[in-house]
Amino acid sequence: MKLSSLIFALAGSGGAAAFLQPSKSPQLQPYLRHEEKSNVAFLTGEVAPKSVSLHMVAIRSPFWRAFDSNDKEVSSDEFIVDRDFSVATTLMAVGIWLTCFGPSNYHEVDMIGGIFHIWFGAFIGKQTMKTRAVFTKDSFELRTVTNKHLGLQADKGLMPKERKNYVLGTDNTWKYDSFVNWDFFPSVDLPILVYFKETQTPKEIQIKGSLGARQMDRRDNGQMHFFPAYANAKQLREQFEVHRCQKIGPVHGEEFKKN
């Protein structure tokens, strides 16, 4: 009984010592270990001995990287179009709606449609985080961010896309003077796809594409390109016009607007 009481008293006095002012008594100072002096000095606001280095490590969520603002400066000769998550979020919202509140009497069909929309929305979302539309002095380019972790964080830098154009195998860079047309589908106010046509791609490797038995482009005046509207459509339009990219007819959605 006496032994347990002694152990309890020693433990209690040791724990409470962390909250006491360091004693000025010279009789007690020799009994304080060097580490204890440092700890007490840290807690009481006194300056720790120079021989002791205090290191504080911040615990940080990996998701906090999404709000880092340590982005590198970009050349003033380039205009980087803001990203737009509207297409990605809309696809994922439709997928969730189909999965949870399927409108048809066939739950399996709704589930398949919902899962496809969620997957495709996530894919477009990744491309939105990864790809940037860039306007330089003489060309329009699609580039890839150099961020180690994709997210909402500011761009650390940009580099040419990791892969060539997946249809043609060419670089994702097009001169302004090669443009034949550009537009937005279904409209500039509700963009899902961005379209442009250029003559930079050699005729021998141009691909016209088709919808079923119908060829999409029957004109022999350039190569068509489509990409999801993961970049701000209003800024894209502004830059196409600023750099005088050739345009045929009015922008979709403005055919019946009066000047």
Side-chain angles (χ1 to χ4, degrees):
M1 184 66 178
K2 290 182 179 181
L3 179 59
S4 61
S5 299
L6 179 59
I7 294 174
F8 179 82
L10 290 173
S13 62
F19 301 95
L20 295 177
Q21 293 286 341
S23 175
K24 305 294 184 180
S25 172
Q27 290 83 6
L28 182 58
Q29 289 297 325
Y31 295 96
L32 285 173
R33 298 196 305 273
H34 181 70
E35 294 82 356
E36 291 173 342
K37 289 181 183 180
S38 301
N39 293 336
V40 171
F42 176 77
L43 291 168
T44 58
E46 294 184 10
V47 180
K50 292 184 178 179
S51 60
V52 179
S53 59
L54 299 175
H55 300 279
M56 298 184 70
V57 179
I59 300 175
R60 192 181 189 191
S61 168
F63 297 104
W64 191 257
R65 298 190 189 98
F67 305 99
D68 281 344
S69 59
N70 298 324
D71 53 320
K72 295 182 179 178
E73 293 185 3
V74 180
S75 172
S76 59
D77 296 333
E78 298 179 349
F79 182 89
I80 302 174
V81 181
D82 293 338
R83 51 193 166 183
D84 189 344
F85 286 90
S86 299
V87 175
T89 54
T90 300
L91 284 169
M92 296 185 74
V94 170
I96 293 172
W97 176 71
L98 286 173
T99 304
C100 300
F101 312 100
S104 75
N105 295 325
Y106 302 94
H107 182 65
E108 294 79 6
V109 175
D110 293 333
M111 285 290 293
I112 293 172
I115 291 172
F116 171 78
H117 277 78
I118 292 172
W119 169 82
F120 193 47
F123 171 76
I124 299 298
K126 182 179 179 182
Q127 294 302 311
T128 305
M129 292 186 285
K130 186 177 181 180
T131 307
R132 298 289 176 272
V134 181
F135 289 84
T136 66
K137 284 184 176 181
D138 58 0
S139 62
F140 171 65
E141 304 179 9
L142 295 178
R143 297 184 190 173
T144 301
V145 299
T146 58
N147 299 25
K148 185 177 180 181
H149 302 278
L150 292 178
L152 303 177
Q153 71 270 32
D155 298 341
K156 308 299 182 184
L158 296 174
M159 64 180 181
K161 285 185 70 65
E162 298 170 335
R163 299 179 181 177
K164 301 283 188 178
N165 186 287
Y166 71 95
V167 175
L168 302 169
T170 56
D171 292 332
N172 292 288
T173 302
W174 302 273
K175 299 288 186 181
Y176 298 130
D177 57 11
S178 72
F179 273 60
V180 175
N181 196 14
W182 54 267
D183 216 326
F184 305 91
F185 294 98
S187 73
V188 67
D189 296 317
L190 188 66
I192 296 176
L193 288 175
V194 180
Y195 154 81
F196 67 94
K197 180 185 278 191
E198 44 79 21
T199 57
Q200 178 177 300
T201 303
K203 284 188 177 182
E204 56 270 20
I205 65 171
Q206 288 183 10
I207 299 175
K208 297 301 180 181
S210 61
L211 290 174
R214 182 179 179 182
Q215 187 172 321
M216 291 178 63
D217 183 16
R218 300 183 181 183
R219 300 175 181 177
D220 188 23
N221 66 338
Q223 174 64 51
M224 294 192 308
H225 299 269
F226 294 90
F227 63 91
Y230 47 63
N232 186 293
K234 300 295 177 64
Q235 292 182 5
L236 283 171
R237 175 188 181 172
E238 178 185 84
Q239 291 299 311
F240 283 142
E241 292 175 345
V242 165
H243 293 285
R244 299 186 179 185
C245 297
Q246 185 174 334
K247 176 79 179 75
I248 300 175
V251 175
H252 277 166
E254 297 184 352
E255 295 91 339
F256 305 106
K257 285 186 178 180
K258 295 181 179 180
N259 295 330

